[in-house]
């Protein structure tokens, strides 16, 4: 059993939806990643750690600039494993790494998954469709890492099933046509998408991300039947806002994450 | 083996593929289906041919450079893509894709541009076919190719400056992909070279093949034989693959792709992707690229904005590994020199990109790869009006 799966099952029993919090590793500085992650983990059910990339084509301005800050601060792909180890000392929360494909490919897929297994639980690669993912899935499985693939509003019905078959832990439903970034409202298409996945596959929980930035959004997603919500840019924005003052940042993050988590209780 | 059978399942050997966000997978499938359908459709082919002849100005001449041939010591021909409407080979592709976009019911086209030539060719196609056109262009390129920015705007296209990353072509592509992800339902991404995810490398190659098909006919008519060598500059690789493709199986024809050596490989200010790069994934395709030890994409440099890109088409990666095409470099300085030669000896003002290919002919003669009886065809991919400001500055720096 994976830590991610256990978490979803446990939340299901207590009638809650998983709150998955995204942050960019190394932003604003690698030394701050463990304390930030630990603060988030007090309220979140899963942590998603981004590895910065020079050309993040699926990301909007907020995560692009976080990526640039992290790279400037000296964040590197192999440092992610040290940071995960440091976070692991503080918390048992499932940790999912999100990275574009090239840094992983360059590091070596097998080597990456082996290292990730030292404390991490899952991997999301936003520019890797299932057609190109056999090696990733193979080595991830061999090392007990869950592979989380994305389903978009444009994904045809029959393909949804295939993507679920490649996925473990959860599947990531992209709530809108577009890149990451906080939005004012939740797009309508996501409800049909959730329904379609829930009907097709009872065995893999759908989590919804992209654009979700407020407790009201979270509530809306929870009501639509999703098993998880992913909040990214709104958290990254808060980190950017207080990046110079960790003593303000940590309580602000805790307050925001507490509100988001409260909204996941049905 | 017949090299022309590739891509197979979207791959050229190990290269190519589709490394894109899931949102785009369906659009790529739609595009491939539409292309495979209309690419064989007689009516589509006739329409394309009509616009290429009556609008773009094809066929373009194959010109024998008498004076420069004598100076260099070889028989040099230029395939005059600079005479295509818009001033570069780019329109061959944009007319094809715009016609396809119309067939697919798309109302809006977007494109990236480096030198501005592809943006210009997209703006021309967009205006003539009544498609809303938006162009992404790096801020650095906007500064150094102002004439083309002005032209695009006159043609009714909206030009979006891109200020992220290295502010050049790579970043313009990132931004165009982000737009496409957002507007995929009514928008066609009109990619300008043989890069990006399948089917672009195949489709753009096919639209540019006309360069090589015409060249073969023309050289057989004038020289009664195949050329000894073909030379073309390689940015993403579209004018070069267009010239090379119908000669790939003619083993007696040597093929040379010329990348931008910038200020030299040791300076690390260059864009020599095939010559000095390593394998990886950028902009949806697996190919050679310029990256650091962490797989982060490196900034590039070339005096020619159209060559200033850290990736290259996957079919070129395939042809490099196979040894069918030789990829080499020409520096900024050599390209400038060739630019001046072509101006003064032939009365032709070439694009700085194309000047790289001309410069390489001199090198081939120097190292005795080709001699005075050999026939060499260079793809003169574009004209240099857009570059006069850069050239003025560079010449001034050389001789202040
Ligand atoms: C005149 C000219 N030649 C060549 C290129 C390089 O592109 P490709 O390698 O796709 O032909 C460009 C690109 O902007 C160009 O404008």
């Amino acid at each position: 059993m994976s830590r991610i799966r256990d978490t979803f099952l446990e939340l299901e029993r207590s009638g809650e939806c998983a709150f998955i919090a995204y942050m960019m590793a190394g932003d604003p500085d690698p030394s701050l990643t463990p304390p930030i992650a630990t603060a988030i983990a007090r309220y979140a059910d899963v942590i998603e750690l981004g590895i910065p990339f020079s050309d993040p084509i699926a990301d909007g301005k907020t995560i692009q600039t976080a990526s640039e800050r992290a790279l400037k601060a000296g964040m590197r792909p192999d440092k992610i494993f040290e940071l995960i180890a440091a976070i692991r000392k503080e918390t048992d929360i499932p940790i999912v790494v999100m990275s574009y494909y090239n840094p992983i490919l360059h590091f070596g897929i097998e080597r990456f998954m082996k290292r990730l297994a030292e404390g991490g639980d899952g991997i999301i690669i936003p520019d890797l469709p299932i057609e190109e993912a056999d090696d990733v899935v193979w080595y991830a499985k061999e090392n007990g890492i869950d592979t989380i693939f994305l389903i978009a509003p444009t994904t045809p019905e029959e393909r949804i099933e295939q993507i679920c078959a490649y996925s473990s832990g959860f599947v990531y439903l992209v709530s809108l046509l577009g890149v990451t970034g906080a939005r004012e409202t939740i797009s309508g298409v996501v409800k049909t998408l959730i329904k379609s996945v829930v009907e097709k596959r009872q065995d893999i929980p759908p989590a919804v991300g992209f654009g979700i930035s407020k407790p009201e959004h979270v509530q809306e997603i929870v009501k639509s039947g999703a098993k998880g919500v992913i909040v990214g840019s709104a958290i990254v924005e808060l980190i950017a806002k207080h990046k110079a003052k960790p003593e303000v940042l940590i309580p602000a993050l805790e307050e925001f994450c507490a509100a988001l988590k409260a909204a996941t209780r049905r | 083996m017949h090299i022309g059978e590739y891509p197979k399942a979207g791959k050229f050997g190990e290269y190519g593929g589709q490394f894109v966000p899931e949102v785009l997978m369906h659009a790529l499938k739609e595009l491939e289906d539409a292309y495979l359908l209309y690419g064989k459709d007689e009516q589509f082919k006739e329409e394309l041919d009509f616009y290429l002849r009556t609008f773009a100005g094809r066929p373009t001449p194959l010109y024998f450079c008498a004076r420069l041939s004598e100076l260099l010591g070889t028989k040099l021909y230029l395939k005059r893509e600079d005479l295509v409407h818009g001033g570069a080979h780019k329109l061959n592709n944009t007319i094809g894709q715009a016609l396809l976009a119309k067939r697919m019911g798309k109302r809006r086209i977007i494109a990236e541009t480096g030198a501005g030539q592809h943006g210009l060719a997209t703006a021309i196609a967009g205006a003539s076919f009544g498609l809303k056109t938006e162009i992404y262009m790096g801020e650095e390129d906007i500064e150094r190719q102002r004439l083309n920015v002005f032209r695009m705007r006159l043609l009714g296209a909206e030009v979006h400056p891109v200020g992220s990353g290295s502010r050049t072509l790579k970043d313009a592509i990132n931004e165009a992909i982000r737009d496409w992800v957002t507007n995929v339902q009514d928008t066609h991404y009109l990619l300008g070279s043989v890069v990006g995810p399948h089917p672009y490398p195949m489709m753009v190659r096919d639209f540019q093949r006309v360069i090589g098909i015409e060249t073969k006919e023309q050289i057989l008519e004038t020289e009664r034989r195949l050329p000894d060598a073909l030379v073309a500059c390689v940015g993403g690789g579209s004018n070069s693959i267009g010239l090379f493709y119908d000669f790939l199986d003619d083993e007696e024809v040597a093929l040379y792709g010329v990348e931008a050596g910038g200020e030299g490989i040791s300076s690390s200010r260059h864009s020599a992707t095939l010559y000095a790069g390593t394998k990886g994934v950028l902009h949806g395709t697996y190919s050679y690229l310029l990256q650091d030890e962490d797989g982060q994409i490196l900034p590039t440099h070339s005096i020619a904005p159209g060559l200033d890109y850290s990736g290259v088409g996957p079919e070129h990666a395939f042809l490099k590994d196979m040894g069918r095409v030789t990829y080499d470099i020409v520096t900024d300085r050599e390209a400038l020199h060739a630019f001046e030669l072509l101006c003064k000896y032939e009365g032709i003002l070439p694009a700085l990109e194309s000047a790289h290919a001309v410069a390489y002919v001199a090198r081939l003669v120097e190292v005795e790869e080709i001699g005075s009886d050999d026939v060499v065809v260079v793809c003169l991919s574009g004209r240099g009006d857009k570059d006069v400001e850069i050239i003025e500055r560079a010449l001034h720096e050389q001789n202040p």
Side-chain angles (χ1 to χ4, degrees):
Chain A
M1 285 304 262
S2 85
R3 211 177 296 180
I4 298 175
R5 216 183 139 80
D6 289 350
T7 300
F8 273 93
L9 286 176
E10 212 170 287
L11 290 167
E12 181 76 28
R13 277 193 292 270
S14 57
E16 287 172 46
C17 182
F19 164 37
I20 303 164
Y22 171 94
M23 60 181 284
M24 176 64 75
D27 172 36
D29 190 89
S31 66
L32 286 175
T33 297
I36 292 175
T38 309
I40 291 174
R42 284 190 199 108
Y43 302 95
D45 302 300
V46 177
I47 282 215
E48 221 181 286
L49 277 179
I51 295 181
F53 183 50
S54 53
D55 295 80
I57 52 171
D59 286 303
K61 264 277 160 293
T62 302
I63 293 179
Q64 283 175 46
T65 42
S67 200
E68 281 170 26
R69 275 196 303 272
L71 286 172
K72 270 214 191 87
M75 183 60 204
R76 305 186 51 176
D78 59 352
K79 214 174 235 172
I80 195 82
F81 309 115
E82 286 165 42
L83 296 178
I84 290 173
I87 299 166
R88 265 288 157 265
K89 285 196 189 126
E90 305 295 327
T91 163
D92 240 4
I93 192 170
I95 299 173
V96 174
V97 164
M98 183 152 185
S99 171
Y100 285 88
Y101 191 40
N102 199 53
I104 295 178
L105 192 61
H106 204 72
F107 194 88
I109 297 170
E110 184 177 9
R111 193 171 148 233
F112 189 93
M113 296 305 165
K114 274 211 170 92
R115 295 288 313 271
L116 183 56
E118 288 164 18
D121 302 284
I123 182 83
I124 303 175
I125 307 175
D127 60 344
L128 188 73
I130 52 173
E131 283 78 359
E132 307 283 358
D134 284 350
D135 284 357
V136 163
V137 171
W138 172 267
Y139 288 116
K141 206 165 251 159
E142 217 174 51
N143 290 286
I145 296 292
D146 282 323
T147 50
I148 294 126
F149 286 89
L150 291 88
I151 293 173
T154 51
T155 305
E157 286 286 320
E158 67 281 2
R159 196 176 157 81
I160 290 180
E161 192 115 20
Q162 292 166 351
I163 294 175
C164 288
Y166 268 79
S167 301
S168 50
F170 63 93
V171 281
Y172 194 133
L173 309 195
V174 176
S175 75
L176 45 78
L177 294 177
V179 293
T180 59
R183 308 288 204 283
E184 275 310 305
T185 54
I186 299 293
S187 86
V189 290
V190 70
K191 287 175 192 157
T192 354
L193 204 55
I194 296 170
K195 207 161 150 251
S196 162
V197 174
V198 173
E199 274 169 12
K200 280 197 180 57
R201 304 283 298 221
Q202 297 298 324
D203 55 334
I204 185 135
V208 178
F210 278 45
I212 298 162
S213 58
K214 302 174 184 171
E216 302 89 86
H217 296 165
V218 173
Q219 262 164 356
E220 220 179 307
I221 297 293
V222 172
K223 277 197 205 113
S224 308
K227 310 287 182 199
V229 288
I230 303 154
V231 179
S233 293
I235 291 174
V236 173
E237 261 169 34
L238 198 58
I239 294 172
K241 188 173 161 198
H242 299 299
K243 60 180 185 296
K245 292 197 207 91
E247 70 284 3
V248 182
L249 170 61
I250 299 293
L253 265 178
E254 286 178 335
E255 190 186 341
F256 185 50
C257 290
L260 292 170
K261 178 58 209 172
T264 66
R265 302 202 171 98
R266 280 177 252 256
Chain B
M1 174 200 41
H2 182 61
I3 300 174
E5 283 168 14
Y6 289 87
K8 290 192 168 109
K11 301 252 166 126
F12 302 89
E14 65 178 310
Y15 301 106
Q18 298 179 318
F19 299 87
V20 296
E22 174 62 24
V23 180
L24 296 180
M25 288 303 285
H26 184 60
L28 291 175
K29 178 87 178 69
E30 255 182 10
L31 181 59
E32 183 182 4
D33 290 348
Y35 176 68
L36 291 177
L37 176 68
Y38 294 117
K40 291 194 198 80
D41 179 59
E42 282 310 315
Q43 210 185 343
F44 181 85
K45 285 201 280 194
E46 267 171 39
E47 200 176 343
L48 177 59
D49 186 61
F50 172 81
Y51 284 105
L52 288 179
R53 277 187 296 110
T54 63
F55 186 63
R58 303 211 71 92
T60 58
L62 184 70
Y63 177 68
F64 177 65
C65 296
R67 293 192 67 213
L68 201 53
S69 290
E70 200 184 321
L71 180 79
L72 295 175
T74 189
K75 293 169 89 172
L76 173 64
Y77 285 85
L78 299 179
K79 179 60 176 162
R80 297 291 307 276
E81 293 301 297
D82 60 319
L83 296 178
V84 174
H85 177 38
H89 67 293
K90 298 288 181 188
L91 196 70
N92 303 330
N93 170 44
T94 59
I95 291 180
Q97 284 196 49
L99 283 174
L100 196 60
K102 278 202 89 132
R103 290 279 203 292
M104 293 171 70
K106 307 284 179 184
R107 274 172 307 204
R108 177 174 175 266
I109 50 178
I110 55 169
E112 81 295 342
T113 197
Q117 288 301 125
H118 174 58
L120 183 64
T122 305
I124 290 171
S128 68
F129 297 127
L131 295 160
K132 184 168 163 31
T133 306
E134 293 178 42
I135 308 292
Y136 291 90
M137 187 168 185
E139 281 172 356
E140 181 178 332
D141 291 331
I142 287 188
E143 281 158 30
R144 54 180 175 166
Q145 305 272 259
R146 280 188 304 188
L147 178 64
N148 275 343
V149 177
F150 188 54
R151 279 186 181 142
M152 285 184 264
R153 287 184 173 145
L154 285 176
L155 288 158
E158 204 173 319
V159 181
H160 300 290
V162 177
S164 55
S166 56
R167 303 157 69 233
T168 56
L169 183 56
K170 161 176 91 73
D171 313 283
I173 297 180
N174 290 343
E175 222 33 58
I177 293 176
R178 291 183 188 118
D179 180 319
W180 200 30
V181 164
T182 310
N183 300 298
V184 61
Q185 273 156 334
D186 73 337
T187 297
H188 172 64
Y189 180 17
L190 208 159
L191 192 48
S193 191
V194 288
V195 298
H198 178 72
Y200 286 104
M202 167 180 80
M203 180 173 70
V204 177
R205 172 198 75 194
D206 290 352
F207 287 137
Q208 293 293 1
R209 269 181 69 180
V210 65
I211 303 174
I213 292 171
E214 286 177 9
T215 298
K216 201 170 205 174
E217 253 181 54
Q218 291 165 320
I219 201 75
L220 285 174
E221 196 171 309
T222 49
E223 289 285 341
R224 310 251 160 245
R225 68 181 182 90
L226 290 175
D228 298 289
L230 302 178
V231 184
C233 67
V234 180
S238 67
N239 86 88
S240 50
I241 203 79
L243 176 67
F244 296 163
Y245 194 72
D246 282 75
F247 293 90
L248 285 177
D249 291 331
D250 301 316
E251 279 167 31
E252 68 271 37
V253 182
L255 306 174
Y256 298 95
V258 185
E259 295 189 302
E263 295 170 10
I265 298 299
S266 57
S267 75
S268 77
R269 280 178 53 77
H270 60 80
S271 312
T273 312
L274 290 159
Y275 186 84
T278 51
K279 299 172 190 182
V281 167
L282 173 65
H283 295 146
T285 194
Y286 182 64
S287 184
Y288 282 84
L289 49 95
L290 294 170
Q291 58 188 329
D292 71 9
E293 69 273 20
D294 288 342
Q296 307 289 352
I297 310 306
L298 288 168
T300 51
H301 163 80
S302 169
I303 192 169
L307 305 182
D308 202 348
Y309 179 50
S310 14
V312 71
E315 192 163 16
H316 285 288
F318 180 59
L319 293 170
K320 172 194 155 88
D321 287 5
M322 187 184 282
R324 178 62 187 100
V325 181
T326 304
Y327 296 93
D328 208 335
I329 53 166
V330 152
T331 62
D332 288 351
R333 187 174 273 270
E334 291 172 289
L336 268 173
H337 181 62
F339 175 90
E340 289 185 283
L341 279 184
L342 207 55
C343 286
K344 293 197 175 133
Y345 279 79
E346 297 294 342
I348 295 171
L349 214 139
L352 277 171
E353 291 80 12
S354 325
H356 283 72
V358 176
Y360 197 65
V361 175
R363 175 101 58 81
L364 286 174
V365 175
E366 207 180 295
V367 299
E368 297 179 6
E369 279 289 321
I370 51 174
S372 54
D373 292 332
D374 288 334
V375 172
V376 184
V377 178
V378 162
C379 185
L380 201 75
S381 55
R383 69 177 193 219
D385 310 44
K386 68 184 180 65
D387 294 322
V388 292
E389 278 184 65
I390 300 179
I391 286 156
E392 195 186 2
R393 224 175 304 142
L395 292 179
H396 182 74
E397 274 167 27
Q398 279 185 13
N399 309 296

